[in-house]
Amino acid sequence: MNQRIALLALLAALPLGSATASGGSGRAPLDPTYVGECGSCHIPYPPQLLDAASWQALLGQLDRHFQVDATVEPPTLEQIRIYLAAHARRKPSGAPVLRVSETAWFRHEHDDITVAQWGRVKSKSNCAACHPRAAEGRYSEHEIKLP
């Protein structure tokens, strides 16, 4: 069974709920289309990590998504757009932010990570390096395993 199918099976078994970026008691429902398309290359970031304008900006440049052509068919794109808008962070961040690692929340939550630890993680987008349940949308401080 390939990773994509295994991830979709895992996500289908998860309970639904409302999520918090800090890994609170619930999770936003994980849309299978979003998980299948976006989660095929990286973890499906919880939609509440960015505001709607930031998600819109990201989706508007999928042909050059961080040096990769991540273009999807228009109906699929619309379904992802609706999902992200419905579950995006409610408080606007001003100008659109294209990287979760550039948000004020991310910087605040990770301000105690040392340069050496970041070096072992390799990339700030590699959430699973420290958050073993990141693919499930779980980022609880109680589950962190620093490299």
Side-chain angles (χ1 to χ4, degrees):
M1 180 180 334
N2 72 31
Q3 285 182 316
R4 187 172 176 177
I5 293 171
L7 179 61
L8 287 173
L10 171 68
L11 293 172
L14 293 174
L16 301 180
S18 62
T20 62
S22 61
S25 62
R27 292 181 292 279
L30 292 169
D31 179 78
T33 301
Y34 170 68
V35 171
E37 291 294 336
C38 303
S40 67
C41 293
H42 54 73
I43 66 154
Y45 296 108
Q48 68 276 10
L49 292 180
L50 297 176
D51 63 22
S54 296
W55 284 120
Q56 180 71 17
L58 272 169
L59 295 176
Q61 58 184 36
L62 289 178
D63 60 330
R64 56 190 188 287
H65 185 68
F66 303 104
Q67 293 77 46
V68 174
D69 184 350
T71 305
V72 297
E73 294 296 319
T76 302
L77 177 60
E78 187 58 22
Q79 183 175 347
I80 293 169
R81 185 183 317 278
I82 290 167
Y83 166 72
L84 291 173
H87 299 286
R89 190 168 81 110
R90 298 293 172 226
K91 184 178 178 188
S93 57
V97 177
L98 301 181
R99 294 180 185 270
V100 170
S101 61
E102 293 175 354
T103 65
W105 170 83
F106 183 95
R107 288 192 308 269
H108 171 74
E109 290 295 315
H110 298 85
D111 63 356
D112 56 345
I113 304 299
T114 67
V115 171
Q117 287 168 322
W118 280 124
R120 289 190 295 275
V121 168
K122 306 289 187 221
S123 169
K124 291 181 179 180
S125 65
N126 183 13
C127 303
C130 301
H131 302 276
R133 297 182 71 190
E136 300 169 31
R138 305 279 306 231
Y139 295 88
S140 172
E141 290 182 13
H142 303 291
E143 298 174 346
I144 292 174
K145 295 184 186 334
L146 294 176

